[in-house]
Amino acid sequence: MRVLRNIGLLATCRADGGQAEIHPLREAALAWEDGQIEWIGPEAQLPARYRDARSFDAAGRLVAPGLVDCHTHLAFAGWRADEFEQRIRGRSYLEIARSGGGILSTVHATRDASEEQLFERCRHFLDDILPLGVTTIECKSGYGLSREQELKLLRVYRALSEAGPARIVPTLLAAHVVPPEYRNDREGYVELVVREIIPQAAAEGLARCCDAFLEESAFTYGEAERILEAGREAGLLPKLHADQLSDGGGARLAATLRAVSADHLEHISDEGIQAIADKGVVAVSLPIATLVTNQHPLPARRLIERGVAVAVATDFNPGTAPSYHLPFALSLACSLQRMTPAEALKGATIHAARAVGLEDQVGSLEPGKVADFAVIDAPSVEQWLYHIRANACVATVIGGQVVAGELATAF
Amino acid sequence: MRVLRNIGLLATCRADGGQAEIHPLREAALAWEDGQIEWIGPEAQLPARYRDARSFDAAGRLVAPGLVDCHTHLAFAGWRADEFEQRIRGRSYLEIARSGGGILSTVHATRDASEEQLFERCRHFLDDILPLGVTTIECKSGYGLSREQELKLLRVYRALSEAGPARIVPTLLAAHVVPPEYRNDREGYVELVVREIIPQAAAEGLARCCDAFLEESAFTYGEAERILEAGREAGLLPKLHADQLSDGGGARLAATLRAVSADHLEHISDEGIQAIADKGVVAVSLPIATLVTNQHPLPARRLIERGVAVAVATDFNPGTAPSYHLPFALSLACSLQRMTPAEALKGATIHAARAVGLEDQVGSLEPGKVADFAVIDAPSVEQWLYHIRANACVATVIGGQVVAGELATAF
């Protein structure tokens, strides 16, 4: 039994009540055992059975659920800082992709890297990520684009998951882009994904979700539909990169498939908004990509007004979103997407958990959920996300264990 | 005698050659004595007299001049996270100011704080700032708005300067906004600034620069001109908050006064650009304020094309730019202002030094300058500013002394 006392503000982030409702408790305490939350409430009401439990002191700080980064491309080799400069000088994402840069340059580098090399690189990233208060990270494949190479990436994620302590949610994104060797045989690649890659990934338990990139430069509506339906038949939750560079009907497809999430959505139509609102699809906003690619942001206010749950994630990848700093993405969501700090926090907790189908286990601080939380050196969510600092998180806890920073013992 | 060896890339940031030219050296070394740089060059050419000097190992990393944050409002009390949320919900800066929020709410809180309280708060901020690689910080008064209160703020900066190790550049900004007690006597306040505050600040050696806020909600062209001329007569370098919310002819005034800098410039006109280009006034861009206030950015590309030296600073203040993370501001300058990483770095080094009139002492790595530098965990400037991390700086050195992080000893 463990108790965290003297919590100035506990943002429980329960699902009910809409995007802005984080269900805060003041002068609170949080008790857990065996990695699971047993009790939360005002410290004055802490039940007698916890009075002698080992106690930690939050020193009046903010405590939030461990953050969930529900959209990353964590395993890749190389970087693309050169393209960052090219985009500043005015070249578009599609121009860069057409000239052999973009995703394909990362595919070449990633194929050349061994599973061990990629594992070490991801471990290094996670060493930077966990201290930010992030505890669950969705990780997509998609830089392999062959059976062997896509499974290699998913095995990196399995190894990371087994090594702990981060909670890794693996997603198969074989449908990231058509690989060069299938340039003149798109149908052949879709067949490979549907008949070989998806079944094997599912059979080996290597993926939880199946994703596809529906875009002019990637896969058509029909191809994405076929792939995600095959994924669903194999037991993988559908997700979709949708309406990023143009309105390709992605939101409608996500709604039709009852996907757990539709991601990007910078160009979502009004019909698309209504479709995902009707079907309860989470809209995953990716404000770092918006900033870096100089796009207009997704219409967060219209989505929220129609009752869509909006998540916020980093989209960490070497091209369009070269940062895994999720609190920084939340601050950007406030300024670029006009989300309030509370709305942004809900977007990186319970709504992000829904976007990976784990809302029963993570994403909020409630009895029965895992004891994943972050202690933040700020008196409020507003102060945290407004006063952008290198890192305001002073302790990250996963399954009841401190995995970064430290918790002071209470006397 | 000290030597830093094994520098993968040394960005000297000498003034000549334009905004994009950082004069890089590869496989370099840097030698200093008594806080002053003696030699820089390729390590293979290190003179014999340094062969036995105490040596440190940069481990192949990037070394940049200590960053210069040439525009901050460091000393204030309170915060304004509530206004951040109001702006997200659509209230404008001017609406918030007219309803008693904005600068005046910080003025009330700051007047109530003691010199010691403000000193401790600033020290706490500096503890966060120096590890980012920032070594020189311009600090404005402007939340006092009376003789006694403005001098109190400048004395806080003098105490910080004496306490070290940060290099503090104090700027008198008595003309930040007309204080409430002079609401019906603007002329009386301008008289107070010109006849009492400026002369006393100058006589006591409390300020290096004199600044004014030329804007509809603050001071007129004529008032700002009178104040900055009085400052110059007292030996203070003129600076100007210009053309932030509208084109008020601020750039033209800065040129007429031969100010060291014109700051903000989101609404600068073509004539304004030509005026500051002709007179060599540095344009200080403040991309965090651009992001937070949802303004369009200053036209960095047009400024650079006309030969204006563009600096990048944080504008750290509790209202419109609540972050002192200068590397983050540089990354924003790349994405929002379309400056390349090298251009942004020059903007926070030698151009920023020019914006406070200290280009002979700081802002570049050259023999004769102070040994202020940052060791960055990145192989290039592009990689540093593209891959946004909590903090990529591993050691900050001021006057040859490590003040944050650590330098490994070379064997």
Side-chain angles (χ1 to χ4, degrees):
Chain A
M1 263 193 311
R2 300 281 185 273
V3 181
L4 181 63
R5 296 166 177 266
N6 195 15
I7 300 171
L9 186 77
L10 178 70
T12 66
C13 299
R14 287 204 323 267
D16 59 299
Q19 186 89 29
E21 182 52 79
I22 57 171
H23 299 286
L25 292 173
R26 293 186 184 279
E27 298 175 21
L30 167 65
W32 68 94
E33 187 163 16
D34 294 334
Q36 197 174 54
I37 297 171
E38 285 201 341
W39 186 90
I40 61 164
E43 186 169 356
Q45 295 169 23
L46 187 71
R49 65 182 182 279
Y50 298 113
R51 294 269 157 78
D52 296 325
R54 188 168 166 207
S55 290
F56 302 96
D57 181 4
R61 294 191 170 107
L62 169 67
V63 172
L67 300 180
V68 177
D69 194 343
C70 68
H71 185 135
T72 85
H73 305 252
L74 195 75
F76 59 87
W79 289 96
R80 279 153 46 202
D82 54 329
E83 287 178 21
F84 179 69
E85 179 154 347
Q86 287 176 41
R87 265 197 309 274
I88 290 164
R89 295 183 181 280
R91 287 191 88 190
S92 76
Y93 178 84
L94 289 179
E95 283 170 336
I96 291 167
R98 285 189 194 114
S99 67
I103 292 173
L104 284 182
S105 67
T106 299
V107 170
H108 292 308
T110 305
R111 286 176 168 181
D112 285 345
S114 71
E115 193 175 318
E116 293 67 33
Q117 286 170 326
L118 292 166
F119 175 83
E120 283 309 318
R121 217 171 125 107
C122 289
R123 286 267 284 205
H124 184 69
F125 292 156
L126 290 171
D127 286 344
D128 253 17
I129 291 171
L130 297 188
L132 301 170
V134 179
T135 54
T136 299
I137 302 111
E138 189 256 15
C139 300
K140 301 179 195 295
S141 68
Y143 295 122
L145 307 184
S146 72
R147 187 170 59 92
E148 178 194 351
Q149 292 280 354
E150 285 292 301
L151 294 173
K152 176 181 83 176
L153 292 171
L154 294 177
R155 289 193 183 106
V156 169
Y157 297 142
R158 180 160 69 186
L160 289 170
S161 184
E162 288 172 358
R167 298 187 196 277
I168 302 292
V169 182
T171 293
L172 175 64
L173 177 59
H176 197 189
V177 69
V178 176
E181 53 278 18
Y182 283 90
R183 195 170 287 144
N184 300 314
D185 183 19
R186 302 176 60 88
E187 174 65 19
Y189 186 63
V190 173
E191 283 290 304
L192 177 72
V193 173
V194 166
R195 298 195 185 274
E196 296 191 32
I197 304 180
I198 288 173
Q200 187 169 348
E204 294 189 26
L206 284 168
R208 177 174 182 81
C209 310
C210 184
D211 196 350
F213 190 11
L214 168 49
E215 193 63 59
E216 186 200 329
S217 61
F219 293 87
T220 66
Y221 188 103
E223 289 164 349
E225 183 175 32
R226 189 161 167 231
I227 288 162
L228 294 184
E229 281 185 342
R232 193 168 51 188
E233 278 166 33
L236 307 181
L237 299 173
K239 296 174 81 68
L240 189 65
H241 282 65
D243 305 333
Q244 177 181 11
L245 304 172
S246 58
D247 173 18
R252 180 160 46 89
L253 176 57
T256 304
L257 292 165
R258 293 182 180 265
V260 285
S261 73
D263 302 39
H264 279 296
L265 303 179
E266 285 88 342
H267 291 83
I268 191 172
S269 64
D270 272 340
E271 294 70 25
I273 293 175
Q274 196 57 52
I276 63 173
D278 290 344
K279 302 295 183 184
V281 178
V282 177
V284 177
S285 67
L286 304 164
I288 296 173
T290 300
L291 175 75
V292 168
T293 62
N294 206 23
Q295 293 272 315
H296 65 77
L298 100 174
R301 292 255 58 87
R302 281 194 288 140
L303 287 157
I304 291 168
E305 280 159 21
R306 301 261 198 111
V308 176
V310 178
V312 184
T314 62
D315 193 15
F316 177 55
N317 75 74
T320 55
S323 179
Y324 41 62
H325 200 312
L326 184 54
F328 166 58
L330 299 186
S331 294
L332 283 182
C334 296
S335 287
L336 295 177
Q337 298 171 188
R338 308 192 79 73
M339 291 172 73
T340 66
E343 288 174 338
L345 177 60
K346 204 151 178 183
T349 53
I350 192 66
H351 289 176
R354 269 184 62 191
V356 292
L358 286 178
E359 66 271 31
D360 293 338
Q361 296 166 53
V362 303
S364 64
L365 296 173
E366 299 177 77
K369 288 211 167 181
V370 296
D372 288 7
F373 56 88
V375 182
I376 307 294
D377 182 27
S380 68
V381 177
E382 288 70 29
Q383 180 69 25
W384 173 26
L385 297 184
Y386 135 95
H387 178 33
I388 300 170
R389 295 163 64 185
N391 183 19
C393 176
V394 295
T396 305
V397 174
I398 298 180
Q401 303 294 320
V402 179
V403 299
E406 52 187 61
L407 282 184
T409 302
F411 297 101
Chain B
M1 262 192 314
R2 300 281 185 274
V3 180
L4 182 64
R5 295 166 178 268
N6 196 14
I7 301 171
L9 187 77
L10 178 70
T12 66
C13 297
R14 288 203 322 268
D16 60 298
Q19 186 88 30
E21 182 51 80
I22 57 171
H23 299 286
L25 292 173
R26 293 186 184 278
E27 297 175 21
L30 166 65
W32 68 94
E33 187 163 15
D34 295 333
Q36 196 174 53
I37 297 170
E38 285 201 341
W39 186 89
I40 60 165
E43 187 169 357
Q45 295 169 24
L46 187 70
R49 65 182 182 280
Y50 299 114
R51 295 270 157 76
D52 297 324
R54 190 171 164 203
S55 290
F56 302 96
D57 182 4
R61 293 191 169 107
L62 169 67
V63 171
L67 301 180
V68 177
D69 194 344
C70 67
H71 185 136
T72 86
H73 304 251
L74 195 75
F76 60 86
W79 290 97
R80 280 154 46 203
D82 53 330
E83 288 178 21
F84 179 69
E85 179 154 346
Q86 288 176 39
R87 264 198 309 274
I88 290 165
R89 292 183 183 281
R91 286 191 88 190
S92 76
Y93 179 84
L94 290 178
E95 283 170 338
I96 290 168
R98 284 188 194 114
S99 68
I103 293 172
L104 285 182
S105 67
T106 299
V107 170
H108 293 308
T110 305
R111 284 175 170 181
D112 285 345
S114 70
E115 195 175 318
E116 293 68 29
Q117 286 170 326
L118 293 167
F119 174 83
E120 284 307 319
R121 215 170 126 107
C122 288
R123 287 266 284 205
H124 184 70
F125 292 155
L126 290 171
D127 287 345
D128 253 17
I129 292 171
L130 297 189
L132 301 170
V134 179
T135 54
T136 299
I137 302 111
E138 189 257 14
C139 300
K140 301 179 195 295
S141 67
Y143 295 122
L145 307 183
S146 72
R147 188 170 59 94
E148 179 194 350
Q149 292 281 354
E150 285 292 300
L151 294 173
K152 176 181 83 175
L153 292 172
L154 294 177
R155 289 193 183 105
V156 169
Y157 297 143
R158 181 159 68 187
L160 289 170
S161 184
E162 288 172 358
R167 297 186 197 277
I168 302 292
V169 182
T171 293
L172 176 64
L173 177 60
H176 197 189
V177 69
V178 176
E181 52 280 17
Y182 283 89
R183 195 170 286 145
N184 300 314
D185 182 19
R186 302 176 59 88
E187 174 64 20
Y189 186 64
V190 173
E191 281 289 306
L192 176 72
V193 172
V194 165
R195 296 193 187 277
E196 297 191 35
I197 303 179
I198 288 173
Q200 189 169 348
E204 294 189 26
L206 285 168
R208 176 174 182 81
C209 310
C210 184
D211 196 350
F213 191 10
L214 167 49
E215 195 62 60
E216 186 199 330
S217 61
F219 293 88
T220 67
Y221 188 104
E223 289 164 349
E225 182 175 33
R226 192 165 163 228
I227 287 162
L228 295 185
E229 281 186 342
R232 192 168 52 186
E233 278 167 32
L236 307 181
L237 299 172
K239 295 174 81 68
L240 189 64
H241 282 65
D243 306 332
Q244 178 182 8
L245 304 172
S246 58
D247 173 18
R252 180 161 44 91
L253 176 56
T256 304
L257 293 165
R258 291 181 180 269
V260 285
S261 74
D263 301 39
H264 279 295
L265 302 178
E266 285 88 342
H267 290 84
I268 190 171
S269 65
D270 272 340
E271 294 69 25
I273 293 175
Q274 196 57 53
I276 62 172
D278 289 344
K279 301 296 183 185
V281 178
V282 177
V284 177
S285 67
L286 303 164
I288 297 173
T290 299
L291 175 75
V292 169
T293 62
N294 206 24
Q295 293 273 315
H296 64 78
L298 101 174
R301 292 255 58 86
R302 280 195 288 140
L303 288 158
I304 291 168
E305 279 159 20
R306 301 262 199 112
V308 176
V310 178
V312 183
T314 62
D315 193 16
F316 177 54
N317 76 73
T320 54
S323 178
Y324 40 62
H325 199 313
L326 184 54
F328 167 59
L330 299 186
S331 293
L332 284 181
C334 296
S335 288
L336 295 178
Q337 299 171 187
R338 309 191 80 72
M339 292 172 72
T340 66
E343 289 174 337
L345 178 60
K346 204 150 178 183
T349 53
I350 192 66
H351 289 176
R354 270 184 63 191
V356 292
L358 286 178
E359 66 272 31
D360 292 339
Q361 296 165 55
V362 304
S364 63
L365 296 173
E366 298 176 79
K369 288 209 166 181
V370 297
D372 289 7
F373 57 88
V375 183
I376 308 295
D377 182 26
S380 68
V381 177
E382 289 69 30
Q383 179 69 24
W384 174 26
L385 298 183
Y386 136 95
H387 179 32
I388 300 171
R389 295 164 61 186
N391 182 20
C393 176
V394 296
T396 306
V397 173
I398 298 181
Q401 305 293 320
V402 179
V403 301
E406 54 187 59
L407 283 184
T409 302
F411 297 101

